Amino acid sequence: MAREGKAPDGRSSRWDAHREVRRAELVDAAVRAIDAHGPDVGVASIAAEAGVSKPVLYRYFADKDELYAAVGQWGADEVMDRLLAAILTEASVRDRVERGVDAYLGAIEEHPNVFLLLVRHRTGHGDPLADGKARIAATFARVLGDTLRELGVDAAGAEPWAEGLVGLGLATGEWWLSRQTMTRTAVGRYLTAFVFHALEGTAAELGVPLSALDAPGLVPDSVSPITRRS
């Protein structure tokens, strides 16, 4: 029986740290292999890119689904880093939406095969984008919710609106990368207009001029808080 208060095993901590570093290296190799060979790449090609055998690869990932889920988390981090840098700036709502859309399209354009693999690899064992989508939607919901609360209006819709934005982005991105019938500039213009006018309509329904969202601390005196609608 282990004694209470026993100091943590330093070897175990070092192994855990090494394992995380090695997993990150293998995910980077998987991204390179998917970029090079397409969304139907096999695990053998990923292992070859990493310079290891498949059995070694599976020491770090239980199966292909777990490996793709790790790639999904990598992709979500890439998108979030670019999105937050674009939308959390001092600019008008329209400008921030445009910058955010362009940042998102830029991220998936840089790694189109990775994005297509992730949106298509949904199996009975799960969705490799599940965790990433949840994190992005949660971030959107916080940004929307904080803005609405600062304006003194009902923030109850922040979460479903955020989920809708994520779904819109995924569907539009898959269509664009699969069909290639429109330039990035053109699809960005349409997606920006769609998102902006959705925000504009929401603001109008809540009784807040959209211009107030450009400076949340300066809500016009004529705007009174509203309560949640039944």
Side-chain angles (χ1 to χ4, degrees):
M1 182 174 178
R3 291 178 300 171
E4 291 185 7
K6 184 178 180 180
D9 187 339
R11 288 172 300 178
S12 176
S13 298
R14 287 194 297 273
W15 166 246
D16 289 344
H18 167 77
R19 182 178 178 81
E20 287 306 307
V21 170
R22 190 62 177 135
R23 275 174 61 96
E25 293 172 346
L26 294 172
V27 168
D28 287 342
V31 170
R32 294 195 302 271
I34 298 165
D35 282 342
H37 300 290
D40 297 322
V41 64
V43 173
S45 296
I46 293 174
E49 177 64 36
V52 301
S53 65
K54 287 174 63 175
V56 169
L57 187 66
Y58 284 133
R59 290 178 192 170
Y60 295 90
F61 303 95
D63 52 27
K64 181 168 66 175
D65 291 330
E66 185 176 310
L67 172 60
Y68 287 168
V71 173
Q73 292 174 6
W74 174 90
D77 288 340
E78 285 287 303
V79 169
M80 282 305 307
D81 287 346
R82 300 187 190 200
L83 268 177
L84 290 176
I87 66 176
L88 298 181
T89 57
E90 293 295 329
S92 68
V93 173
R94 180 74 186 226
D95 285 345
R96 280 183 282 167
V97 170
E98 184 174 3
R99 293 175 189 178
V101 166
D102 187 63
Y104 166 67
L105 294 177
I108 66 173
E109 184 182 43
E110 190 171 325
H111 299 281
N113 289 330
V114 174
F115 179 82
L116 290 173
L117 179 149
L118 294 172
V119 296
R120 293 173 179 174
H121 188 77
R122 298 185 179 96
T123 69
H125 300 288
D127 176 357
L129 276 175
D131 290 342
K133 288 188 297 187
R135 293 206 330 268
I136 293 172
T139 300
F140 279 167
R142 285 195 297 272
V143 171
L144 289 170
D146 288 348
T147 300
L148 291 169
R149 281 186 288 272
E150 197 167 346
L151 289 168
V153 298
D154 182 12
E159 191 168 354
W161 290 330
E163 294 286 345
L165 287 173
V166 171
L168 172 65
L170 288 174
T172 303
E174 183 177 8
W175 165 83
W176 176 52
L177 294 178
S178 299
R179 297 288 298 278
Q180 291 291 314
T181 56
M182 191 175 292
T183 65
R184 172 176 159 186
T185 299
V187 72
R189 183 169 61 250
Y190 288 121
L191 190 54
T192 295
F194 192 98
V195 173
F196 174 75
H197 290 300
L199 294 174
E200 187 176 48
T202 299
E205 185 172 329
L206 292 173
V208 179
L210 190 61
S211 59
L213 297 176
D214 295 336
L218 300 175
V219 183
D221 293 337
S222 60
V223 178
S224 58
I226 66 170
T227 58
R228 181 178 305 178
R229 298 183 180 182
S230 59

